[in-house]
Amino acid sequence: MLLLLTVFLLIALSGCNALIETSRLNITPHQVEPAPPQDDGDFITVNTQHELERAMRDMVQTHVEQGLFRIAQIDDYGVESVVADAVREVSTDPLVAYMGSVFSHRILFDGQGQAYAELELTISYQRTVEQVVDVRIVHSVLGATTLLERILRDGETYLAMLSPTSVASVALLEQSIRDIYFSQALDVITLPRVQISLYPSSGTGAQRIAVVELYFGFDPDDDLPRMERDLRQAAETLIDDLPDDLPLPQELIWLAETLAAQIPPDFDLPEVPPVNLIRPRSISATAYGALVDGYASSEGFAMAFKAILELLQIESHVVLGERAGQRHAWNLVSIDGIYYHMDISLLPQYGPENTLFLSDEVMMVELDYTWDLSLYPRGTGTLRYVDFTD
């Protein structure tokens, strides 16, 4: 029989493009001539354990299920031990682990006193050839972030990528997904439930395959385009009523007060832990929940305000922290390069003097807010709400 052998074809990248470009796993079969037939079969000859390992990897890459081998130059170590060591080594290969490959073999001729041994190798798989072809080759954190951003925007639910071990990290990929979501309130509708699996599961080797599975809680193909359209339209409708020729601080005040007025001020929803990606996320924690459905948690208010500011090209961040010991979210907005905190969700309850244009010091010392200062720009503005309204 003839075995189909395959090699990875990696795109040669150079310069800055190497940081962002990705390529697909390219399956290119080629033929290898078998050894002369003996009795009832054709045999592929391999001369060393290393060659056997390479042939086994090639079988996995082309989803070949069975092959006949003639292993030359077997010493007293024995063919059984050679095959066991080869299986152990090959099983650490990312693609072999990702395919769920299970190896079994049957020795046809043990080679004792002869120049070679013969065996039949069988491989069973848990994944298809199509899933192999869909594996993306990623060279950097930036490349992984680019792919994750695309699938979040497009509502894709599955991504497999071969990348350096430093990139194929559960913590890093989860953090990247969170960062993308909270930085693009207008274009990434919701933060889905996320499951990340690594192949092989251990950190050995230079590369791993990371599988990212996303669960949106709705049909992304049918619902996502409509939700994106409705969210953008709601944000644009609010901005259309913005009075002309207002200075930036007055624009922010008008937008904050208008947004707060659209949602009942006493609507008390429990906060969903922002660090837990496994737990399903409520629509109330999104810009869509606030601007389209008209109800929101503090995170929903913050995401809605950010979506509006994105349309106006005003730099801002969603801050995830606590207020009075309870999970809470608010915004950090740049005015001429100086950052101020703005908590839209509590504006109706505590008034603009205690929720708009606040510094880090005021937030922490006077108002009992806490957050990770290392994750966000410092709120160093010294002006208060009354300074912008005089």
Side-chain angles (χ1 to χ4, degrees):
M1 66 179 277
L2 297 179
L3 293 181
L4 296 178
L5 303 183
T6 294
V7 294
F8 285 121
L9 298 182
L10 300 179
I11 293 181
L13 301 176
S14 60
C16 294
N17 287 337
L19 296 177
I20 59 175
E21 291 188 14
T22 63
S23 57
R24 290 191 183 276
L25 203 59
N26 192 353
I27 303 302
T28 307
H30 61 276
Q31 294 182 346
V32 172
E33 292 297 330
Q38 176 173 330
D39 297 329
D40 59 347
D42 291 343
F43 295 84
I44 299 299
T45 297
V46 294
N47 294 312
T48 65
Q49 179 181 320
H50 177 71
E51 289 183 5
L52 177 61
E53 293 170 7
R54 185 173 59 184
M56 293 166 67
R57 289 186 176 96
D58 290 338
M59 288 178 67
V60 172
Q61 291 164 12
T62 47
H63 216 271
V64 172
E65 295 181 349
Q66 193 173 77
L68 300 177
F69 285 88
R70 180 173 294 168
I71 306 178
Q73 301 176 7
I74 293 296
D75 55 22
D76 293 339
Y77 190 47
V79 63
E80 190 76 48
S81 297
V82 169
V83 175
D85 289 350
V87 169
R88 188 180 304 111
E89 181 65 28
V90 168
S91 296
T92 64
D93 181 273
L95 184 61
V96 174
Y98 171 69
M99 292 291 287
S101 314
V102 178
F103 297 89
S104 60
H105 68 276
R106 180 168 62 97
I107 296 177
L108 306 178
F109 174 62
D110 63 13
Q112 293 298 322
Q114 302 294 326
Y116 56 81
E118 294 171 355
L119 66 91
E120 178 185 73
L121 181 67
T122 303
I123 310 176
S124 59
Y125 304 96
Q126 297 180 12
R127 299 187 189 271
T128 65
V129 173
E130 290 74 19
Q131 288 176 305
V132 180
V133 175
D134 283 341
V135 173
R136 301 300 297 267
I137 301 171
V138 178
H139 305 279
S140 66
V141 173
L142 183 55
T145 301
T146 301
L147 277 178
L148 292 171
E149 180 178 338
R150 190 206 71 202
I151 68 171
L152 283 169
R153 286 189 174 200
D154 295 345
E156 297 181 23
T157 58
Y158 187 92
L159 170 66
M161 58 183 181
L162 176 68
S163 62
T165 302
S166 59
V167 176
S169 157
V170 172
L172 187 147
L173 295 176
E174 285 186 346
Q175 185 62 50
S176 295
I177 291 172
R178 292 180 65 246
D179 290 345
I180 292 168
Y181 170 71
F182 286 111
S183 66
Q184 301 187 37
L186 195 62
D187 295 319
V188 181
I189 297 298
T190 187
L191 180 60
R193 183 164 58 92
V194 179
Q195 181 66 49
I196 297 175
S197 305
L198 303 178
Y199 301 90
S201 57
S202 66
T204 59
Q207 292 183 313
R208 283 190 290 189
I209 288 179
V211 172
V212 180
E213 297 176 272
L214 304 180
Y215 305 90
F216 287 88
F218 53 81
D219 186 342
D221 291 334
D222 293 337
D223 296 332
L224 191 59
R226 171 187 57 79
M227 295 173 72
E228 290 176 343
R229 182 184 65 251
D230 291 348
L231 172 59
R232 186 171 291 270
Q233 181 177 347
E236 290 174 345
T237 298
L238 188 148
I239 291 174
D240 285 342
D241 295 331
L242 180 65
D244 296 332
D245 301 324
L246 287 178
L248 178 56
Q250 278 69 35
E251 281 190 355
L252 294 172
I253 293 171
W254 187 92
L255 292 169
E257 292 179 337
T258 302
L259 177 61
Q262 290 185 353
I263 301 172
D266 59 348
F267 201 94
D268 186 17
L269 291 170
E271 298 294 336
V272 176
V275 297
N276 188 344
L277 295 182
I278 303 303
R279 180 175 171 180
R281 202 166 197 80
S282 170
I283 199 68
S284 66
T286 68
Y288 181 91
L291 289 171
V292 179
D293 290 344
Y295 62 92
S297 63
S298 66
E299 190 175 309
F301 274 101
M303 292 297 289
F305 197 51
K306 176 159 178 52
I308 293 167
L309 298 184
E310 285 175 6
L311 276 178
L312 294 172
Q313 298 183 343
I314 298 173
E315 184 183 354
S316 68
H317 301 267
V318 173
V319 182
L320 304 173
E322 293 185 350
R323 181 185 180 278
Q326 300 295 317
R327 293 185 182 92
H328 199 68
W330 62 94
N331 296 96
L332 193 59
V333 183
S334 174
I335 300 177
D336 297 328
I338 300 174
Y339 285 93
Y340 291 87
H341 296 270
M342 303 183 72
D343 190 345
I344 315 304
S345 66
L346 296 182
L347 174 59
Q349 183 177 358
Y350 294 103
E353 298 86 356
N354 297 307
T355 55
L356 304 183
F357 308 114
L358 306 174
S359 66
D360 287 354
E361 182 179 4
V362 170
M363 293 284 283
M364 291 185 290
V365 176
E366 298 182 19
L367 301 176
D368 199 15
Y369 286 81
T370 58
W371 67 97
D372 188 340
L373 293 172
S374 68
L375 298 180
Y376 308 96
R378 298 302 301 268
T380 57
T382 57
L383 298 177
R384 297 295 297 269
Y385 170 76
V386 293
D387 299 312
F388 292 117
T389 55
D390 286 345

mmCIF file of all heavy atoms in Angstrom, residues 185-187 227-242 254-255 258-259 262 287-288 290-293 303-312:
data_model
loop_
_atom_site.group_PDB
_atom_site.id
_atom_site.type_symbol
_atom_site.label_atom_id
_atom_site.label_comp_id
_atom_site.label_asym_id
_atom_site.label_seq_id
_atom_site.Cartn_x
_atom_site.Cartn_y
_atom_site.Cartn_z
ATOM 1 N N ALA A 185 -16.834 48.346 22.547
ATOM 2 C CA ALA A 185 -18.226 48.194 22.984
ATOM 3 C C ALA A 185 -19.214 48.257 21.832
ATOM 4 O O ALA A 185 -20.295 47.666 21.907
ATOM 5 C CB ALA A 185 -18.564 49.281 24.007
ATOM 6 N N LEU A 186 -18.863 48.966 20.776
ATOM 7 C CA LEU A 186 -19.789 49.131 19.663
ATOM 8 C C LEU A 186 -19.739 47.959 18.689
ATOM 9 O O LEU A 186 -20.744 47.636 18.056
ATOM 10 C CB LEU A 186 -19.468 50.432 18.915
ATOM 11 C CG LEU A 186 -20.527 50.958 17.948
ATOM 12 C CD1 LEU A 186 -21.816 51.297 18.690
ATOM 13 C CD2 LEU A 186 -19.996 52.189 17.224
ATOM 14 N N ASP A 187 -18.598 47.315 18.559
ATOM 15 C CA ASP A 187 -18.416 46.288 17.533
ATOM 16 C C ASP A 187 -18.463 44.868 18.071
ATOM 17 O O ASP A 187 -18.708 43.932 17.315
ATOM 18 C CB ASP A 187 -17.080 46.497 16.812
ATOM 19 C CG ASP A 187 -17.055 47.797 16.022
ATOM 20 O OD1 ASP A 187 -18.077 48.110 15.383
ATOM 21 O OD2 ASP A 187 -16.029 48.493 16.047
ATOM 22 N N MET A 227 -28.470 42.523 16.020
ATOM 23 C CA MET A 227 -28.085 43.177 17.264
ATOM 24 C C MET A 227 -27.053 44.274 17.008
ATOM 25 O O MET A 227 -27.131 45.366 17.597
ATOM 26 C CB MET A 227 -27.538 42.148 18.242
ATOM 27 C CG MET A 227 -28.582 41.126 18.697
ATOM 28 S SD MET A 227 -27.885 39.786 19.698
ATOM 29 C CE MET A 227 -27.541 40.670 21.229
ATOM 30 N N GLU A 228 -26.088 44.012 16.119
ATOM 31 C CA GLU A 228 -25.104 45.039 15.779
ATOM 32 C C GLU A 228 -25.775 46.256 15.153
ATOM 33 O O GLU A 228 -25.452 47.399 15.481
ATOM 34 C CB GLU A 228 -24.072 44.461 14.815
ATOM 35 C CG GLU A 228 -23.147 43.430 15.443
ATOM 36 C CD GLU A 228 -22.213 42.812 14.420
ATOM 37 O OE1 GLU A 228 -22.493 42.942 13.202
ATOM 38 O OE2 GLU A 228 -21.205 42.199 14.826
ATOM 39 N N ARG A 229 -26.715 46.012 14.254
ATOM 40 C CA ARG A 229 -27.416 47.113 13.587
ATOM 41 C C ARG A 229 -28.234 47.924 14.583
ATOM 42 O O ARG A 229 -28.204 49.162 14.591
ATOM 43 C CB ARG A 229 -28.324 46.550 12.496
ATOM 44 C CG ARG A 229 -29.078 47.621 11.707
ATOM 45 C CD ARG A 229 -30.031 47.003 10.697
ATOM 46 N NE ARG A 229 -31.105 46.242 11.347
ATOM 47 C CZ ARG A 229 -31.198 44.919 11.322
ATOM 48 N NH1 ARG A 229 -30.286 44.199 10.689
ATOM 49 N NH2 ARG A 229 -32.205 44.308 11.924
ATOM 50 N N ASP A 230 -28.967 47.225 15.464
ATOM 51 C CA ASP A 230 -29.821 47.921 16.431
ATOM 52 C C ASP A 230 -28.985 48.722 17.430
ATOM 53 O O ASP A 230 -29.379 49.830 17.823
ATOM 54 C CB ASP A 230 -30.707 46.917 17.164
ATOM 55 C CG ASP A 230 -31.765 46.293 16.260
ATOM 56 O OD1 ASP A 230 -31.944 46.807 15.133
ATOM 57 O OD2 ASP A 230 -32.390 45.307 16.667
ATOM 58 N N LEU A 231 -27.852 48.163 17.864
ATOM 59 C CA LEU A 231 -27.007 48.871 18.811
ATOM 60 C C LEU A 231 -26.442 50.146 18.195
ATOM 61 O O LEU A 231 -26.494 51.227 18.812
ATOM 62 C CB LEU A 231 -25.857 47.964 19.272
ATOM 63 C CG LEU A 231 -24.775 48.636 20.138
ATOM 64 C CD1 LEU A 231 -25.374 49.230 21.406
ATOM 65 C CD2 LEU A 231 -23.662 47.649 20.475
ATOM 66 N N ARG A 232 -25.912 50.037 16.993
ATOM 67 C CA ARG A 232 -25.340 51.218 16.346
ATOM 68 C C ARG A 232 -26.424 52.273 16.098
ATOM 69 O O ARG A 232 -26.195 53.471 16.289
ATOM 70 C CB ARG A 232 -24.660 50.814 15.037
ATOM 71 C CG ARG A 232 -23.913 51.947 14.353
ATOM 72 C CD ARG A 232 -23.088 51.407 13.196
ATOM 73 N NE ARG A 232 -21.970 50.603 13.672
ATOM 74 C CZ ARG A 232 -20.776 51.097 13.939
ATOM 75 N NH1 ARG A 232 -20.537 52.396 13.782
ATOM 76 N NH2 ARG A 232 -19.809 50.308 14.339
ATOM 77 N N GLN A 233 -27.582 51.830 15.689
ATOM 78 C CA GLN A 233 -28.668 52.782 15.422
ATOM 79 C C GLN A 233 -29.101 53.486 16.709
ATOM 80 O O GLN A 233 -29.343 54.709 16.707
ATOM 81 C CB GLN A 233 -29.857 52.044 14.808
ATOM 82 C CG GLN A 233 -31.032 52.965 14.464
ATOM 83 C CD GLN A 233 -32.166 52.214 13.790
ATOM 84 O OE1 GLN A 233 -32.017 51.085 13.353
ATOM 85 N NE2 GLN A 233 -33.321 52.854 13.704
ATOM 86 N N ALA A 234 -29.176 52.756 17.820
ATOM 87 C CA ALA A 234 -29.569 53.369 19.095
ATOM 88 C C ALA A 234 -28.537 54.394 19.552
ATOM 89 O O ALA A 234 -28.890 55.481 20.041
ATOM 90 C CB ALA A 234 -29.749 52.286 20.153
ATOM 91 N N ALA A 235 -27.243 54.064 19.398
ATOM 92 C CA ALA A 235 -26.192 55.004 19.779
ATOM 93 C C ALA A 235 -26.217 56.240 18.882
ATOM 94 O O ALA A 235 -26.065 57.376 19.359
ATOM 95 C CB ALA A 235 -24.829 54.318 19.706
ATOM 96 N N GLU A 236 -26.413 56.040 17.596
ATOM 97 C CA GLU A 236 -26.458 57.170 16.661
ATOM 98 C C GLU A 236 -27.673 58.059 16.916
ATOM 99 O O GLU A 236 -27.587 59.295 16.799
ATOM 100 C CB GLU A 236 -26.475 56.654 15.228
ATOM 101 C CG GLU A 236 -25.157 56.021 14.787
ATOM 102 C CD GLU A 236 -25.244 55.395 13.415
ATOM 103 O OE1 GLU A 236 -26.394 55.192 12.934
ATOM 104 O OE2 GLU A 236 -24.185 55.086 12.829
ATOM 105 N N THR A 237 -28.800 57.451 17.265
ATOM 106 C CA THR A 237 -30.015 58.221 17.559
ATOM 107 C C THR A 237 -29.801 59.135 18.761
ATOM 108 O O THR A 237 -30.213 60.308 18.759
ATOM 109 C CB THR A 237 -31.199 57.274 17.822
ATOM 110 O OG1 THR A 237 -31.451 56.507 16.645
ATOM 111 C CG2 THR A 237 -32.449 58.060 18.195
ATOM 112 N N LEU A 238 -29.143 58.618 19.784
ATOM 113 C CA LEU A 238 -28.868 59.447 20.959
ATOM 114 C C LEU A 238 -27.939 60.602 20.589
ATOM 115 O O LEU A 238 -28.163 61.753 20.998
ATOM 116 C CB LEU A 238 -28.271 58.584 22.063
ATOM 117 C CG LEU A 238 -28.085 59.232 23.433
ATOM 118 C CD1 LEU A 238 -28.251 58.203 24.537
ATOM 119 C CD2 LEU A 238 -26.721 59.902 23.565
ATOM 120 N N ILE A 239 -26.930 60.320 19.792
ATOM 121 C CA ILE A 239 -25.957 61.355 19.421
ATOM 122 C C ILE A 239 -26.599 62.395 18.509
ATOM 123 O O ILE A 239 -26.231 63.581 18.545
ATOM 124 C CB ILE A 239 -24.733 60.707 18.749
ATOM 125 C CG1 ILE A 239 -23.941 59.908 19.782
ATOM 126 C CG2 ILE A 239 -23.835 61.745 18.101
ATOM 127 C CD1 ILE A 239 -22.798 59.119 19.190
ATOM 128 N N ASP A 240 -27.565 61.985 17.695
ATOM 129 C CA ASP A 240 -28.212 62.925 16.774
ATOM 130 C C ASP A 240 -28.868 64.084 17.511
ATOM 131 O O ASP A 240 -29.006 65.192 16.967
ATOM 132 C CB ASP A 240 -29.267 62.194 15.931
ATOM 133 C CG ASP A 240 -28.632 61.339 14.843
ATOM 134 O OD1 ASP A 240 -27.437 61.576 14.526
ATOM 135 O OD2 ASP A 240 -29.316 60.447 14.315
ATOM 136 N N ASP A 241 -29.285 63.847 18.734
ATOM 137 C CA ASP A 241 -29.944 64.901 19.526
ATOM 138 C C ASP A 241 -28.951 65.768 20.292
ATOM 139 O O ASP A 241 -29.361 66.700 20.997
ATOM 140 C CB ASP A 241 -30.936 64.268 20.510
ATOM 141 C CG ASP A 241 -32.092 63.581 19.789
ATOM 142 O OD1 ASP A 241 -32.443 64.028 18.684
ATOM 143 O OD2 ASP A 241 -32.618 62.585 20.334
ATOM 144 N N LEU A 242 -27.671 65.460 20.192
ATOM 145 C CA LEU A 242 -26.650 66.227 20.909
ATOM 146 C C LEU A 242 -26.617 67.669 20.375
ATOM 147 O O LEU A 242 -26.471 67.883 19.172
ATOM 148 C CB LEU A 242 -25.283 65.567 20.715
ATOM 149 C CG LEU A 242 -24.078 66.222 21.382
ATOM 150 C CD1 LEU A 242 -24.214 66.152 22.902
ATOM 151 C CD2 LEU A 242 -22.791 65.545 20.928
ATOM 152 N N TRP A 254 -23.983 66.192 28.865
ATOM 153 C CA TRP A 254 -25.268 65.981 28.188
ATOM 154 C C TRP A 254 -25.469 64.502 27.865
ATOM 155 O O TRP A 254 -26.549 63.940 28.093
ATOM 156 C CB TRP A 254 -25.320 66.804 26.901
ATOM 157 C CG TRP A 254 -26.663 66.781 26.224
ATOM 158 C CD1 TRP A 254 -27.689 67.656 26.395
ATOM 159 C CD2 TRP A 254 -27.126 65.791 25.286
ATOM 160 N NE1 TRP A 254 -28.776 67.299 25.620
ATOM 161 C CE2 TRP A 254 -28.445 66.145 24.934
ATOM 162 C CE3 TRP A 254 -26.569 64.664 24.717
ATOM 163 C CZ2 TRP A 254 -29.206 65.402 24.024
ATOM 164 C CZ3 TRP A 254 -27.319 63.914 23.819
ATOM 165 C CH2 TRP A 254 -28.624 64.282 23.485
ATOM 166 N N LEU A 255 -24.447 63.857 27.343
ATOM 167 C CA LEU A 255 -24.560 62.445 26.988
ATOM 168 C C LEU A 255 -24.796 61.583 28.223
ATOM 169 O O LEU A 255 -25.629 60.663 28.209
ATOM 170 C CB LEU A 255 -23.286 61.988 26.269
ATOM 171 C CG LEU A 255 -23.049 62.582 24.875
ATOM 172 C CD1 LEU A 255 -21.637 62.261 24.404
ATOM 173 C CD2 LEU A 255 -24.078 62.033 23.883
ATOM 174 N N THR A 258 -28.366 62.197 29.540
ATOM 175 C CA THR A 258 -29.367 61.644 28.622
ATOM 176 C C THR A 258 -29.408 60.122 28.707
ATOM 177 O O THR A 258 -30.485 59.522 28.739
ATOM 178 C CB THR A 258 -29.055 62.079 27.179
ATOM 179 O OG1 THR A 258 -29.043 63.512 27.105
ATOM 180 C CG2 THR A 258 -30.089 61.531 26.206
ATOM 181 N N LEU A 259 -28.234 59.496 28.743
ATOM 182 C CA LEU A 259 -28.188 58.044 28.859
ATOM 183 C C LEU A 259 -28.804 57.584 30.171
ATOM 184 O O LEU A 259 -29.600 56.633 30.203
ATOM 185 C CB LEU A 259 -26.740 57.553 28.757
ATOM 186 C CG LEU A 259 -26.513 56.048 28.935
ATOM 187 C CD1 LEU A 259 -27.249 55.251 27.861
ATOM 188 C CD2 LEU A 259 -25.019 55.717 28.898
ATOM 189 N N GLN A 262 -32.580 57.506 30.228
ATOM 190 C CA GLN A 262 -33.264 56.503 29.414
ATOM 191 C C GLN A 262 -33.518 55.203 30.168
ATOM 192 O O GLN A 262 -34.328 54.385 29.746
ATOM 193 C CB GLN A 262 -32.429 56.182 28.162
ATOM 194 C CG GLN A 262 -32.378 57.300 27.141
ATOM 195 C CD GLN A 262 -31.634 56.890 25.881
ATOM 196 O OE1 GLN A 262 -31.048 55.812 25.818
ATOM 197 N NE2 GLN A 262 -31.655 57.740 24.878
ATOM 198 N N ALA A 287 -23.647 46.933 26.229
ATOM 199 C CA ALA A 287 -24.162 48.175 25.649
ATOM 200 C C ALA A 287 -25.511 47.933 24.988
ATOM 201 O O ALA A 287 -26.393 48.805 25.010
ATOM 202 C CB ALA A 287 -23.158 48.716 24.635
ATOM 203 N N TYR A 288 -25.683 46.753 24.416
ATOM 204 C CA TYR A 288 -26.955 46.422 23.770
ATOM 205 C C TYR A 288 -28.093 46.429 24.794
ATOM 206 O O TYR A 288 -29.174 46.983 24.533
ATOM 207 C CB TYR A 288 -26.852 45.053 23.108
ATOM 208 C CG TYR A 288 -28.110 44.623 22.383
ATOM 209 C CD1 TYR A 288 -28.279 44.932 21.036
ATOM 210 C CD2 TYR A 288 -29.119 43.918 23.036
ATOM 211 C CE1 TYR A 288 -29.428 44.549 20.359
ATOM 212 C CE2 TYR A 288 -30.268 43.524 22.370
ATOM 213 C CZ TYR A 288 -30.414 43.842 21.030
ATOM 214 O OH TYR A 288 -31.550 43.466 20.378
ATOM 215 N N ALA A 290 -28.362 48.103 27.524
ATOM 216 C CA ALA A 290 -28.670 49.465 27.961
ATOM 217 C C ALA A 290 -29.345 50.268 26.861
ATOM 218 O O ALA A 290 -30.391 50.892 27.080
ATOM 219 C CB ALA A 290 -27.388 50.152 28.417
ATOM 220 N N LEU A 291 -28.757 50.293 25.667
ATOM 221 C CA LEU A 291 -29.214 51.203 24.617
ATOM 222 C C LEU A 291 -30.413 50.678 23.833
ATOM 223 O O LEU A 291 -31.226 51.471 23.344
ATOM 224 C CB LEU A 291 -28.069 51.489 23.648
ATOM 225 C CG LEU A 291 -26.939 52.360 24.205
ATOM 226 C CD1 LEU A 291 -25.751 52.403 23.244
ATOM 227 C CD2 LEU A 291 -27.441 53.776 24.487
ATOM 228 N N VAL A 292 -30.527 49.368 23.704
ATOM 229 C CA VAL A 292 -31.617 48.806 22.901
ATOM 230 C C VAL A 292 -32.750 48.304 23.788
ATOM 231 O O VAL A 292 -33.917 48.656 23.574
ATOM 232 C CB VAL A 292 -31.093 47.669 21.994
ATOM 233 C CG1 VAL A 292 -32.245 47.069 21.183
ATOM 234 C CG2 VAL A 292 -29.998 48.186 21.063
ATOM 235 N N ASP A 293 -32.419 47.493 24.787
ATOM 236 C CA ASP A 293 -33.467 46.932 25.638
ATOM 237 C C ASP A 293 -33.877 47.873 26.766
ATOM 238 O O ASP A 293 -34.938 47.702 27.358
ATOM 239 C CB ASP A 293 -33.004 45.601 26.233
ATOM 240 C CG ASP A 293 -32.909 44.501 25.170
ATOM 241 O OD1 ASP A 293 -33.487 44.690 24.085
ATOM 242 O OD2 ASP A 293 -32.261 43.480 25.437
ATOM 243 N N MET A 303 -20.556 50.172 29.399
ATOM 244 C CA MET A 303 -20.350 49.745 28.016
ATOM 245 C C MET A 303 -21.151 50.611 27.043
ATOM 246 O O MET A 303 -20.683 50.932 25.944
ATOM 247 C CB MET A 303 -20.742 48.276 27.877
ATOM 248 C CG MET A 303 -19.822 47.304 28.602
ATOM 249 S SD MET A 303 -18.119 47.315 27.950
ATOM 250 C CE MET A 303 -18.363 46.509 26.362
ATOM 251 N N ALA A 304 -22.345 51.009 27.440
ATOM 252 C CA ALA A 304 -23.155 51.868 26.580
ATOM 253 C C ALA A 304 -22.501 53.234 26.407
ATOM 254 O O ALA A 304 -22.447 53.778 25.299
ATOM 255 C CB ALA A 304 -24.558 52.025 27.175
ATOM 256 N N PHE A 305 -21.997 53.805 27.503
ATOM 257 C CA PHE A 305 -21.341 55.108 27.416
ATOM 258 C C PHE A 305 -20.091 55.009 26.548
ATOM 259 O O PHE A 305 -19.813 55.899 25.741
ATOM 260 C CB PHE A 305 -20.991 55.602 28.814
ATOM 261 C CG PHE A 305 -20.696 57.080 28.884
ATOM 262 C CD1 PHE A 305 -21.565 58.012 28.349
ATOM 263 C CD2 PHE A 305 -19.539 57.545 29.498
ATOM 264 C CE1 PHE A 305 -21.306 59.373 28.407
ATOM 265 C CE2 PHE A 305 -19.263 58.897 29.565
ATOM 266 C CZ PHE A 305 -20.149 59.827 29.019
ATOM 267 N N LYS A 306 -19.356 53.903 26.667
ATOM 268 C CA LYS A 306 -18.172 53.725 25.838
ATOM 269 C C LYS A 306 -18.559 53.602 24.367
ATOM 270 O O LYS A 306 -17.880 54.142 23.492
ATOM 271 C CB LYS A 306 -17.375 52.493 26.280
ATOM 272 C CG LYS A 306 -16.175 52.234 25.374
ATOM 273 C CD LYS A 306 -15.116 51.409 26.001
ATOM 274 C CE LYS A 306 -13.962 51.145 25.043
ATOM 275 N NZ LYS A 306 -13.425 52.368 24.440
ATOM 276 N N ALA A 307 -19.623 52.869 24.061
ATOM 277 C CA ALA A 307 -20.069 52.727 22.671
ATOM 278 C C ALA A 307 -20.392 54.098 22.067
ATOM 279 O O ALA A 307 -20.038 54.391 20.916
ATOM 280 C CB ALA A 307 -21.281 51.809 22.600
ATOM 281 N N ILE A 308 -21.052 54.933 22.844
ATOM 282 C CA ILE A 308 -21.380 56.278 22.367
ATOM 283 C C ILE A 308 -20.113 57.092 22.129
ATOM 284 O O ILE A 308 -19.968 57.774 21.107
ATOM 285 C CB ILE A 308 -22.295 56.983 23.389
ATOM 286 C CG1 ILE A 308 -23.663 56.277 23.441
ATOM 287 C CG2 ILE A 308 -22.462 58.461 23.052
ATOM 288 C CD1 ILE A 308 -24.508 56.695 24.619
ATOM 289 N N LEU A 309 -19.176 57.014 23.062
ATOM 290 C CA LEU A 309 -17.933 57.763 22.909
ATOM 291 C C LEU A 309 -17.085 57.237 21.759
ATOM 292 O O LEU A 309 -16.354 58.004 21.119
ATOM 293 C CB LEU A 309 -17.139 57.714 24.218
ATOM 294 C CG LEU A 309 -17.824 58.344 25.431
ATOM 295 C CD1 LEU A 309 -16.891 58.319 26.643
ATOM 296 C CD2 LEU A 309 -18.271 59.769 25.135
ATOM 297 N N GLU A 310 -17.183 55.934 21.459
ATOM 298 C CA GLU A 310 -16.472 55.393 20.299
ATOM 299 C C GLU A 310 -16.980 56.024 19.009
ATOM 300 O O GLU A 310 -16.197 56.341 18.104
ATOM 301 C CB GLU A 310 -16.641 53.873 20.247
ATOM 302 C CG GLU A 310 -15.802 53.127 21.277
ATOM 303 C CD GLU A 310 -16.077 51.632 21.272
ATOM 304 O OE1 GLU A 310 -16.837 51.169 20.393
ATOM 305 O OE2 GLU A 310 -15.536 50.924 22.138
ATOM 306 N N LEU A 311 -18.291 56.225 18.907
ATOM 307 C CA LEU A 311 -18.845 56.884 17.726
ATOM 308 C C LEU A 311 -18.329 58.310 17.592
ATOM 309 O O LEU A 311 -18.118 58.811 16.485
ATOM 310 C CB LEU A 311 -20.370 56.886 17.788
ATOM 311 C CG LEU A 311 -21.097 55.632 17.297
ATOM 312 C CD1 LEU A 311 -22.593 55.798 17.487
ATOM 313 C CD2 LEU A 311 -20.779 55.359 15.823
ATOM 314 N N LEU A 312 -18.109 58.956 18.719
ATOM 315 C CA LEU A 312 -17.620 60.342 18.710
ATOM 316 C C LEU A 312 -16.091 60.414 18.695
ATOM 317 O O LEU A 312 -15.532 61.516 18.729
ATOM 318 C CB LEU A 312 -18.163 61.079 19.941
ATOM 319 C CG LEU A 312 -19.682 61.277 19.980
ATOM 320 C CD1 LEU A 312 -20.099 61.841 21.321
ATOM 321 C CD2 LEU A 312 -20.134 62.186 18.843
#
